[in-house]
Amino acid sequence: MSDETLYDMAAKAHVLEGDTVPEGAVTPDGMGCHAPGEALQAQARAAGMGEILDQYAADYPKGPHDQPQSMCPAFGSLRVGLRMRRVGTMLSGSACCVYGLTFVSHFYGARRSVGYVPFNSESLVTGKLFEDIRDAVHEMADPDRYDAIVVTNLCVPTASGVPLRLLPTEINGVRIVGIDVPGFGVPTHAEAKDILAGAMLNYARAEAEAGPVPRPEAGTADRPAVALMGEMFPADPMMIGAMLAPMGLAAGPVVPCREWRELYAALDCGVAAAIHPFYTASVREFQAAGRTVVGSAPVGHDGTADWLAAIGAAYGVAPSQVSAAQNAFLPAIKGALAATPVDATITLSGYEGSELLVARLLIESGARVPYVGTACPKTPWSKADAEWLAAKGVTVKYRASLEDDLAAMEAVKPDLAIGTTPVVQKAKEAGIPSLYFTNLISARPLMGPAGAGSLQAVVNAAIGNRDRMGKMRGFFEGTGQGDTAGVWEAAPNLRPDFRELHQKKLDKQARAAKAQEMI
């Protein structure tokens, strides 16, 4: 389907009579962003967005259930853009979504404005929204301020077929990158990072193929380099570089990058390492550029030995140099693992993509890890980690739901639960020590000797809090839960008869709706 046809379909969509919702929360058929994901997806396909949704379905398969519970996926791509120098960001979506995304982005440290193109139902369905976006991009495209501008469609504009691909690819020397990140087509915010990273790599690869491109301001390595895919603790790329040095190699840029010119340097690396294994679109761009992709990461003793060997094989490094790199770091890693061992049973879950790597490090530290849940999908780049964990008796659950993670924790009753916010909340209610994966595990080094020591320190400290957790449970015992949570001077006046009455009305409505469907 051509772009012109796509635009015409969006422009000719109808408005329901009397539809005057002011903040653009209504799609052409009258359904807002509160509509079921299946309905929005059907609407998007009808508006000509099927090709994009099919690509997302292939890149980010959902798994046995609809999709994992996660924050709005667009947060991932928004964060990537906001962390880049000289890159502007513009959102197209319902005002409530934009408010939530900008709030959480600033909560996580963003210190720059986010552009927003407001709309109502009329401008959405007549095609005027696209014209407004194009005008806003032209107004924003200042080459003195920006190297690129990222325009992101959220759920409602994607479902309505707002055609960002019709935007100019460049305005006044400023690159324009348009992406669709609907919650009904992208499973997690982690994978949305890959959508933007892949789109930028694709643009940069086309630029590099067309002719000379500028060097990154920080310069490039004087040795063959390894590009690194996945957001990591800042010390990890430095440690990886130190481990590669005995092989005559260097650590290249980390994708997602921090400036546009780093994209050229990343593509110039002969080998790309999928440290986080879900960067499917980015892997595709590296492979299109003729680069070899290596999975897993240098974590723990076994992981470091295998990863250095795989990188050496990909670059054709002499076995003696690979051995030199291994011998330089493996004894130190082994010593760090043995220095402060972890004697505990731990369940682990998260949505960052590094869950399998953390589990490997915990097991080599002495921990028993019967369950690992990750919201990310199974890919070839995590195969080595999954096989290593399976050999240790670990159950790995890809596309794990919150229910999966909670069921594992409740069945195992671990000494420590590492997981997402609701898992940690449930663990604390049960008096189980717990750590929030994103803030307390991802925010520390994992690679090399420093990674082993750092992880052990925080894990052992948390496990030591079991007695304190018990005291807290005892202190708050009797304050109630659910409707009776809090401190009451008298017993709350519960009225289960009201709930029963309301439930009967809801059941009656459901039966009527079912009967209407049969007619």
Side-chain angles (χ1 to χ4, degrees), residues 7 10-12 122-132 162-163:
Y7 178 74
K12 295 175 181 177
E122 180 180 359
S123 66
L124 179 69
V125 302
T126 60
K128 181 64 165 56
L129 173 57
F130 173 78
E131 307 294 340
D132 292 342
V162 175

Side-chain angles (χ1 to χ4, degrees), residues 264-289:
Y264 308 135
L267 290 166
D268 192 42
C269 296
V271 174
I275 304 295
H276 290 186
F278 58 84
Y279 280 83
T280 307
S282 300
V283 164
R284 185 164 53 244
E285 295 304 322
F286 279 110
Q287 290 177 331

Side-chain angles (χ1 to χ4, degrees), residues 58 71 87 91 146 158 180 194 300 326 338 371 373 419 431 462 485 487:
M71 67 177 70
V87 170
L91 294 177
Y146 300 116
T158 295
D180 289 85
D194 177 48
Q326 293 171 331
Y371 171 82
V487 179

Side-chain angles (χ1 to χ4, degrees), residues 429 431 467-479:
E429 288 178 357
D467 290 343
R468 188 171 68 172
M469 294 293 298
K471 292 177 181 178
M472 289 177 64
R473 283 197 72 195
F475 179 80
F476 288 105
E477 193 71 35
T479 58

